Amino acid sequence: MKTLSISIIAASLIAATAMAQEPVWDANTVLLESQELAEGVFAVVAVGADDMAASGLPIATSSGFVVGDESVLVIDTMLNEKLHTQLFDLIATQTDLPVRYAVNTSFHGDHSYGNQYLPEETLIIQHGFTSAFIPEHIEADKAFMIQNFGEGRGIEEIMATPADILVDAGGSLTIDLGNQTVNIRDYGFAQTGGDLFVSVPQANVLWTGNPIIAEAPALPWLLDGHLVETRDTLQAVLADFGANTQVVPGHGPVTDISAIQWHIDYLTAVENDVRAAVAEGLSLEETVAHVQLPEYQGYALFGWVHPGLNVPAAYNDLQ
Ligand SMILES: [Zn+2]
């Protein structure tokens, strides 16, 4: 078990090294815009995200904010000061109310590194796992992020910022912003083990963070393994939200629950093929070579996430 986890980490580091020449996306040039999805409920998405998503290209972090009668809640705090400032400038164009809460959907830097730039009065909400993980792994995590997103993107100056409110494993939290209620919930392992889904139930809006990268053809990045568990978690999420839900994914334009179904279908296809390969007694290397899934190759990062992360994750789960 331990050896196999290490082999997944090794595969992802090799893949990351292979990609190091080009940042996944350039945090120095991304422009963010806000879109009002319901009264007081805003998605924040990179300009041009629609075209990029249709072409399967990697896109900067999507986030959002919810404005109540008394205060504001922001979902994710961005990779660096530049993007964080853009996010807060967009909030300021809509309201003067204080940003009382910031939720991190995971420990990943592009969702949490902006915490240190939050106003004094903002309370940081994290999963208990995330809160424990960040201070212990911040230096290694920054090195990994610099490798993937480049030097000189503001990652060097990031420090761990402690959370103020924790969501327990399997737990949920309801935040009242004054005539606007936000639900924050852990549905189980979805990419990191500290994954929070944020919704405004009365407006049918859901933020997923990274577990849903973007609409098809984007695919999940199982950096920490657990393919089967991730698929089961996404099924639990899907069961909770209706067809009219507006879904803000971790890295793409506003979409709907078909994006969740797409991720589930891909993970199930990987599981089925890897299960068959394991039954035939194939090694990890043979399984990676064998499980090609051509119908899912439209994503620009397929060559990294599929053979480098997702197939090894399934192999680890199933053998
Ligand atoms: Zn992300």
Side-chain angles (χ1 to χ4, degrees):
M1 181 76 182
K2 200 161 212 174
T3 327
L4 282 164
S5 304
I6 288 165
S7 79
I8 289 178
I9 292 163
S12 68
L13 287 178
I14 290 161
T17 307
M19 296 187 63
Q21 305 89 322
E22 283 268 316
V24 179
W25 42 266
D26 188 347
N28 282 347
T29 59
V30 169
L31 277 181
L32 299 172
E33 61 185 1
S34 67
Q35 299 166 17
E36 188 163 20
L37 305 180
E39 199 183 338
V41 182
F42 296 84
V44 173
V45 174
V47 171
D50 277 311
D51 289 342
M52 294 174 77
S55 306
L57 296 171
I59 302 167
T61 317
S62 299
S63 68
F65 55 95
V66 183
V67 183
D69 287 345
E70 291 153 18
S71 61
V72 179
L73 176 146
V74 62
I75 298 104
D76 286 331
T77 59
M78 295 291 169
L79 178 72
N80 63 12
E81 186 174 18
K82 211 171 204 171
L83 290 169
H84 179 88
T85 301
Q86 281 195 53
L87 172 60
F88 270 69
D89 287 350
L90 289 169
I91 296 172
T93 64
Q94 301 295 337
T95 180
D96 295 331
L97 288 169
V99 177
R100 184 101 175 92
Y101 305 97
V103 187
N104 298 136
T105 56
S106 75
F107 73 78
H108 281 190
D110 56 309
H111 302 260
S112 68
Y113 283 174
N115 288 355
Q116 74 194 58
Y117 308 110
L118 287 165
E120 194 72 41
E121 71 263 23
T122 306
L123 300 171
I124 298 172
I125 302 173
Q126 288 176 347
H127 192 288
F129 174 89
T130 300
S131 165
F133 185 95
I134 289 176
E136 227 175 281
H137 297 88
I138 185 77
E139 289 311 320
D141 190 60
K142 283 167 60 180
F144 174 79
M145 294 299 280
I146 289 169
Q147 198 160 28
N148 283 285
F149 294 90
E151 292 175 357
R153 267 72 177 189
I155 300 170
E156 292 85 350
E157 68 195 50
I158 300 303
M159 297 170 297
T161 306
D164 300 289
I165 301 171
L166 300 185
V167 178
D168 297 330
S172 69
L173 193 66
T174 300
I175 299 286
D176 182 2
L177 302 173
N179 206 26
Q180 190 91 272
T181 302
V182 180
N183 188 263
I184 302 160
R185 182 163 170 190
D186 170 25
Y187 280 89
F189 190 100
Q191 191 193 33
T192 67
D195 313 292
L196 295 178
F197 290 76
V198 180
S199 63
V200 181
Q202 64 274 25
N204 291 312
V205 177
L206 169 68
W207 285 263
T208 66
N210 287 336
I212 302 300
I213 289 283
E215 65 206 60
L219 298 176
W221 305 22
L222 300 186
L223 288 159
D224 297 316
H226 301 283
L227 180 134
V228 175
E229 210 177 337
T230 298
R231 193 270 322 278
D232 292 349
T233 298
L234 294 182
Q235 265 170 344
V237 173
L238 187 61
D240 252 8
F241 292 90
N244 57 348
T245 304
Q246 299 184 83
V247 175
V248 186
H251 290 268
V254 179
T255 178
D256 58 28
I257 60 169
S258 68
I260 304 176
Q261 188 65 56
W262 166 259
H263 280 55
I264 292 170
D265 290 347
Y266 164 72
L267 294 170
T268 303
V270 175
E271 182 194 357
N272 290 340
D273 280 13
V274 171
R275 195 180 287 283
V278 168
E280 284 176 39
L282 300 191
S283 68
L284 172 61
E285 291 68 27
E286 289 165 338
T287 302
V288 166
H290 181 73
V291 180
Q292 294 284 332
L293 297 185
E295 63 273 39
Y296 291 100
Q297 292 183 10
Y299 184 38
L301 299 183
F302 180 90
W304 176 30
V305 300
H306 181 74
L309 300 174
N310 300 342
V311 174
Y315 191 87
N316 191 26
D317 286 347
L318 298 167
Q319 64 101 251

